[in-house]
Amino acid sequence: MSIRSKRKDDHVELALSLPKPKDPFESMRLVHNSIPNMNLSDVDTSTRYLNRDFPYPVYINAMTGGSEKTGQINKKLALIAARLDIPMAVGSQHVALEHPEYEGSFKIVRETNPHGFIIGNVSANASVDDAQRAIAMIQANALGIHINVAQELTMDEGDRDFAHWLDHIEEIVKAVDVPVIVKEVGFGMNDATVKQLYERGVKHVDVSGHGGTNFISIENARSVEKRYDYLTDWGLTAIESLQITKLYHDKLEIIASGGVKTPLDVLKLIRLGAKAVGISGTFLKMTQHDDKEMMRQADNFFEDLRRIMVLIGARNIKEVARVPYQIKESWVIVRE
Ligand SMILES: Cc1cc2nc3c(=O)[nH]c(=O)nc-3n(C[C@H](O)[C@H](O)[C@H](O)COP(=O)(O)O)c2cc1C
């Protein structure tokens, strides 16, 4: 088994077993509405993002592939995606770009969901050729490029060179003919980051915030010295990232993720400007059950999304983006 392949299994195991961080959505409430003047059957959850119409503003975010075990997880995630007609991202495909024997653990997603919307995944180290091969491997409908500086720096075998990232991202965005989403991996994005991406032609960004899967904790647990306990709080939450990047919300498509456990969390992020919401850890947990129980949990999630829209009096996703909300004072950013 290659180092990258073994790392994939470690990530899944640690993502499932590490202690849960503080709920990143606790500082926000959507306001209760006692007379919604609508029926549950009036709710329309459909919406448009990544240049397509989808029945829900939710998708399965990048996680797995690259080992036997994570190939099986990809298959289960693809079953959920096919049933609900939601997009699904695969995990980083570099392992299969280097070792073609792992391609099957990614291709299984396309085999399981032949007509689904599948999002490929590469790092910002990827060349244009890597990106094109990753897309071809799974006939991807979109491509994610992960930016994971916090993870690399706290990983014993991680990268230390990041100066070329923006150039690579710009080259890939220009060269490929599917939408490109530049995504964090759970530490959030500030306005300066989004500005730079916008200036390089990026049209879709996933701010992927702190408070769910935590790659500093995961890499710390995998490392020999384990010296990064003090960084477990590092990063901006998705809520903070959406607030701080507000100026850019009408310039590019902002997607949010990071710590989403409930449909209520999804609606909070949409209220703050996210056009879609990605979920990783919560779907990963569902795959740990047999298919029947996994589907029951997935169905409940999407049914409850509709029910909570009634609770806030929103008939459709556009109305969700306008409902009143309450927010507790959060960290203030000081620049001068
Ligand atoms: C097991 C696991 C593996 C992941 N691998 C990748 C990856 O290969 N590429 C990537 O862009 N993000 C990866 N992520 C990050 C997620 O896409 C997401 O940004 C992050 O987990 C925050 O979302 P969550 O709190 O819903 O898990 C991974 C997440 C998990 C749980």
Side-chain angles (χ1 to χ4, degrees), residues 28-189:
M28 180 179 181
R29 283 177 170 179
L30 299 180
V31 176
H32 173 57
N33 181 357
S34 302
I35 304 185
N37 291 319
M38 61 186 282
N39 304 327
L40 180 59
S41 58
D42 293 328
V43 170
D44 176 5
T45 56
S46 67
T47 191
R48 190 172 176 83
Y49 57 101
L50 298 173
N51 312 338
R52 283 268 193 105
D53 293 320
F54 294 106
Y56 299 100
V58 174
Y59 69 97
I60 302 174
N61 216 349
M63 282 185 280
T64 62
S67 68
E68 172 78 35
K69 195 168 135 194
T70 56
Q72 285 312 306
I73 294 175
N74 263 350
K75 179 170 184 180
K76 296 194 75 151
L77 292 170
L79 289 172
I80 298 178
R83 180 178 174 95
L84 292 151
D85 193 16
I86 55 173
M88 169 182 165
V90 297
S92 174
Q93 293 170 262
H94 285 276
V95 58
L97 294 175
E98 278 169 27
H99 306 280
E101 67 267 30
Y102 294 119
E103 281 184 1
S105 64
F106 295 97
K107 287 183 169 168
I108 195 163
V109 173
R110 179 54 77 199
E111 285 152 20
T112 309
N113 190 9
H115 307 294
F117 191 98
I118 300 175
I119 306 169
N121 192 276
V122 293
S123 76
N125 287 332
S127 64
V128 166
D129 183 57
D130 292 334
Q132 276 161 342
R133 285 169 56 215
I135 292 167
M137 190 188 302
I138 53 174
Q139 295 140 54
N141 306 87
L143 180 72
I145 303 180
H146 60 261
I147 48 174
N148 62 339
V149 63
Q151 178 185 14
E152 296 295 343
L153 287 173
T154 53
M155 194 193 302
D156 287 348
E157 73 275 23
D159 292 336
R160 304 292 182 256
D161 296 339
F162 311 103
H164 57 286
W165 273 9
L166 271 180
D167 290 341
H168 279 216
I169 289 169
E170 183 175 10
E171 283 163 19
I172 293 173
V173 169
K174 277 199 186 120
V176 304
D177 54 10
V178 295
V180 173
I181 311 159
V182 177
K183 70 180 290 291
E184 246 293 344
V185 299
F187 299 99
M189 282 189 200

Side-chain angles (χ1 to χ4, degrees), residues 8 11-12 15 61-64 90-92 121-122 145-146 183-186 206 208-209 211-213 215 218 257-260 278-282 284:
K8 295 279 148 191
H11 285 167
V12 168
N61 216 349
M63 282 185 280
T64 62
V90 297
S92 174
N121 192 276
V122 293
I145 303 180
H146 60 261
K183 70 180 290 291
E184 246 293 344
V185 299
D206 172 6
S208 201
T213 303
F215 271 98
I218 289 177
S257 68
V260 174
I279 305 181
S280 294
T282 301
L284 180 64

